[in-house]
Amino acid sequence: MQKNYIQRPPYPIASVDNALRILQILRDQGSVRLTDIATDLGVAVSTAHRLMAMLVYRGFAIQEDSKRYAPSPVLGVGAVSSTWHREVRQVLQPALEALCARFDETANLMVRVGAHVRFLYSVEATAILRVGDRAGSVLAARSTSGGKALLSYQSPDYLARLYLGNGTAEHRLSPGEFSELLNELATVRARGYATNREESESGLGAIGLPVLDSAGRPLAAFSLATPISRFDRLLTPDSLAHLFEAQQDMTRALRDAGLEQPDSR
């Protein structure tokens, strides 16, 4: 499985990065307003407008009659959900920021889409050696901590359809690999959290927990990602207690906001 570096390029090009992030926003959220794009990027509306004009010109985006922007068919992927995921991100953002401040490690929010997880939001740590912002990234669910936390709530029959006979070549597992996955997910479900030790990216460790509705069904997951050299400190009793408390806070926040059911899946 291909693994990526955890550091930003040494000489990032801000305009290119913003244009690529817009493509991720369109892919994940579908139709969006110009002001939403500006807010997500942290730029002026005029800057967002210039970036969108170039993406429309090159055929990567279209402007609807409502003045909202939508992904062009050339992107080849659909949005996972528009309104619900944006609202979930907004409601859980304070809790993620608090987690990042508490541990000074990058906090992530993600949802599962089939055999993948999509990162909806990241709060990047301030340490010199840190895991970068993952917002908009799409990774294999079984190689990420949050993805495993979400998969652990699925039935063996569903997982078999996902990873055996009907799985794509990218995700298809052998019977032995599938048995190992089931055993790992059973452990994850029993202890309430999942770990990732350099399974998705070299040099990265992460711990992930599901965000549940009042009936105990998983809606999303959050994770703390760290350079592998600092990973074990996230597994101490005090750290785990804080993470479980954050999980309960996020569950209550979604319930109080009336966001326990996605508008679409």
Side-chain angles (χ1 to χ4, degrees):
M1 182 178 296
Q2 183 176 359
K3 298 181 180 180
N4 303 312
Y5 296 103
I6 66 173
Q7 297 295 322
R8 292 180 184 272
Y11 303 105
I13 303 172
S15 60
V16 174
D17 186 43
N18 282 336
L20 295 174
R21 289 176 63 193
I22 289 174
L23 294 179
Q24 292 175 329
I25 291 169
L26 292 173
R27 178 199 63 196
D28 290 348
Q29 299 181 25
S31 178
V32 293
R33 299 175 301 174
L34 190 64
T35 52
D36 293 331
I37 294 171
T39 299
D40 285 351
L41 298 183
V43 300
V45 173
S46 59
T47 300
H49 183 267
R50 290 195 296 271
L51 289 165
M52 286 307 310
M54 288 304 301
L55 292 176
V56 171
Y57 172 64
R58 291 297 182 184
F60 289 99
I62 57 176
Q63 188 171 16
E64 301 172 328
D65 293 339
S66 62
K67 304 301 182 182
R68 297 171 70 93
Y69 290 91
S72 163
V74 303
L75 290 181
V77 290
V80 292
S81 181
S82 54
T83 304
W84 188 82
H85 286 91
R86 175 174 289 277
E87 291 176 347
V88 165
R89 192 198 70 181
Q90 292 172 343
V91 168
L92 298 186
Q93 182 175 334
L96 293 167
E97 292 174 346
L99 272 179
C100 179
R102 165 69 173 76
F103 291 95
D104 197 18
E105 303 292 359
T106 298
N108 302 296
L109 176 67
M110 67 204 74
V111 294
R112 186 180 64 84
V113 184
H116 295 91
V117 286
R118 290 191 176 187
F119 287 70
L120 301 181
Y121 184 68
S122 287
V123 186
E124 192 170 338
T126 61
I128 295 176
L129 181 60
R130 63 183 183 271
V131 177
D133 186 327
R134 290 294 180 267
S137 296
V138 178
L139 296 175
R142 66 185 178 90
S143 66
T144 65
S145 60
K148 293 178 193 177
L150 294 171
L151 287 172
S152 72
Y153 281 78
Q154 301 303 315
S155 70
D157 287 344
Y158 172 84
L159 294 171
R161 293 194 300 271
L162 194 62
Y163 289 111
L164 293 177
N166 294 332
T168 64
E170 178 187 1
H171 299 289
R172 190 175 297 123
L173 301 178
S174 69
E177 291 171 329
F178 181 68
S179 178
E180 290 177 2
L181 177 63
L182 289 182
N183 289 336
E184 180 179 12
L185 294 180
T187 299
V188 169
R189 182 73 180 268
R191 68 187 182 189
Y193 66 88
T195 60
N196 164 15
R197 292 181 182 267
E198 298 189 281
E199 295 170 58
S200 61
E201 303 176 35
S202 298
L204 178 148
I207 181 170
L209 289 80
V211 182
L212 308 173
D213 65 13
S214 56
R217 296 168 298 199
L219 296 174
F222 69 95
S223 68
L224 282 178
T226 177
I228 194 66
S229 60
R230 299 200 298 264
F231 177 62
D232 285 340
R233 77 185 185 97
L234 299 180
L235 302 178
T236 65
D238 286 346
S239 295
L240 291 174
H242 195 90
L243 289 169
F244 283 125
E245 182 179 350
Q247 179 189 46
Q248 294 173 356
D249 291 343
M250 292 185 196
T251 295
R252 283 194 295 268
L254 290 186
R255 181 194 62 203
D256 294 344
L259 292 173
E260 289 200 328
Q261 288 296 326
D263 53 12
S264 63
R265 280 289 186 181

